[in-house]
Amino acid sequence: MGLFNLFKPARTVLVVDVVSLNEVSGQKGKIPPRNQLQMLRRLARFAQREKLEVIAVLTGTPLNKAPAGKKFEEITVLYSKSPEEHAKFLARTAQSKGAGAVLVSGNAAAEKIAGNGVRKLRVSTFRKAFDTGGDDGGNGGNERSEGGNNRSRGNRPPRRRQPKQKNKDSDSKRNEPKGERKQKPSSETDAINELIDLVD
C-alpha cells in the first residue's frame, strides 16, 4: 500500500493492539470469539498483502483456534493476562522486537510505557490502510457503514418520490398508459397461444 514503506530501513514488525482496533471498528466490551477470529483473519490478509510481519495482541483467555504464541494464518497471536495488564504487555512486546517494531495502538498508556525507542502508529491511522483491503470487513455484514445499512447502495442518491397530483386532467393522462399496458399482456398471450397452436 505504501504507508508502511516509511518503515522499510529495518525489518518492520507491526505489534497491533487488537483491543484498540476492535474499539475503533465499533466493537467494545467482551467480544465474541467468532468476531475476534474474523479480525485476526483480516489482519492476516493485511500482513500478506503488505508483506509485513504482524503480531496481534489480544487480552484474556487464548482462543482455541488461535493459541498464544503460535501462528494464526500469517500472523503471530499473543494475549495479555487482563485488561489492566494489557498496556504493559503491549509495550514490552513492542520493545522486545527492537528497531523494526511499530506499535499500532490507541492505548495512550501503552505508548507512554513503550517510550521513544519504539515507533508508534495510531490505530485510527492504521485502520485507513487496513480497511482498504477490498474485503467486506470479515464480519459477515454485521458492521454497519456510516450511512446505516445502505452498504449495497454505494454512492447512489436517495430515490425521489413522485408528488401526488389531485388534478383530474393528470389522472386521465396517468390512466392512458395503464390502458396501453393492459393491451400488451393480451398481445403477448395471443403470441403464446399461436405458438401453442403450432405445437399441436
Side-chain angles (χ1 to χ4, degrees), residues 15-21 23-24 86 90 103-111 120-126:
V15 179
V16 180
D17 178 6
V18 179
V19 175
S20 293
L21 187 57
E23 285 175 1
V24 298
H86 192 67
L90 269 171
L103 176 60
V104 179
S105 179
N107 189 323
E111 292 173 358
K120 296 157 195 87
L121 181 65
R122 297 299 302 193
V123 74
S124 54
T125 305
F126 170 74

Side-chain angles (χ1 to χ4, degrees), residues 4 6-16 51-55 93-104 116-121:
F4 298 100
L6 300 170
F7 306 119
K8 287 295 184 203
R11 192 189 92 222
T12 304
V13 180
L14 292 184
V15 179
V16 180
K51 296 177 177 55
L52 291 168
E53 183 180 341
V54 172
I55 298 172
T93 303
Q95 289 167 340
S96 71
K97 295 303 168 187
V102 179
L103 176 60
V104 179
N116 293 333
V118 174
R119 290 174 292 173
K120 296 157 195 87
L121 181 65

Side-chain angles (χ1 to χ4, degrees), residues 157-175:
R159 233 185 255 172
R160 291 186 199 156
R161 296 200 173 175
Q162 295 292 329
K164 291 185 178 180
Q165 297 175 346
K166 295 185 179 181
N167 189 344
K168 287 185 180 180
D169 293 336
S170 64
D171 285 342
S172 62
K173 287 178 183 175
R174 220 182 310 146
N175 288 338

Side-chain angles (χ1 to χ4, degrees), residues 176-190:
E176 286 176 11
K178 285 184 181 176
E180 290 175 15
R181 284 189 206 126
K182 286 181 182 176
Q183 291 173 0
K184 284 183 182 177
S186 63
S187 63
E188 288 173 6
T189 306
D190 291 341

Side-chain angles (χ1 to χ4, degrees), residues 1-196:
M1 294 247 80
L3 175 65
F4 298 100
N5 289 339
L6 300 170
F7 306 119
K8 287 295 184 203
R11 192 189 92 222
T12 304
V13 180
L14 292 184
V15 179
V16 180
D17 178 6
V18 179
V19 175
S20 293
L21 187 57
N22 282 329
E23 285 175 1
V24 298
S25 300
Q27 300 182 55
K28 295 184 180 182
K30 189 164 173 66
I31 297 166
R34 179 173 167 251
N35 291 24
Q36 290 183 357
L37 288 170
Q38 287 171 343
M39 186 62 80
L40 290 175
R41 285 188 186 100
R42 287 185 67 199
L43 275 170
R45 287 192 295 268
F46 174 82
Q48 188 174 25
R49 184 174 74 240
E50 294 291 336
K51 296 177 177 55
L52 291 168
E53 183 180 341
V54 172
I55 298 172
V57 183
L58 294 94
T59 189
T61 307
L63 300 167
N64 290 335
K65 292 187 178 180
K70 304 281 183 178
K71 285 275 188 187
F72 176 82
E73 295 180 13
E74 297 288 320
I75 61 176
T76 303
V77 183
L78 300 176
Y79 297 84
S80 62
K81 291 180 182 177
S82 67
E84 296 77 29
E85 294 289 318
H86 192 67
K88 288 179 187 173
F89 186 81
L90 269 171
R92 277 197 314 266
T93 303
Q95 289 167 340
S96 71
K97 295 303 168 187
V102 179
L103 176 60
V104 179
S105 179
N107 189 323
E111 292 173 358
K112 188 175 180 181
I113 295 166
N116 293 333
V118 174
R119 290 174 292 173
K120 296 157 195 87
L121 181 65
R122 297 299 302 193
V123 74
S124 54
T125 305
F126 170 74
R127 189 175 174 224
K128 291 173 187 172
F130 181 62
D131 285 347
T132 58
D135 58 31
D136 68 347
N139 57 4
N142 290 336
E143 187 177 275
R144 298 183 86 170
S145 63
E146 288 179 33
N149 59 1
N150 292 339
R151 183 184 296 270
S152 62
R153 289 179 58 98
N155 292 330
R156 235 177 9 173
R159 233 185 255 172
R160 291 186 199 156
R161 296 200 173 175
Q162 295 292 329
K164 291 185 178 180
Q165 297 175 346
K166 295 185 179 181
N167 189 344
K168 287 185 180 180
D169 293 336
S170 64
D171 285 342
S172 62
K173 287 178 183 175
R174 220 182 310 146
N175 288 338
E176 286 176 11
K178 285 184 181 176
E180 290 175 15
R181 284 189 206 126
K182 286 181 182 176
Q183 291 173 0
K184 284 183 182 177
S186 63
S187 63
E188 288 173 6
T189 306
D190 291 341
I192 292 170
N193 287 338
E194 287 177 19
L195 290 172
I196 293 170

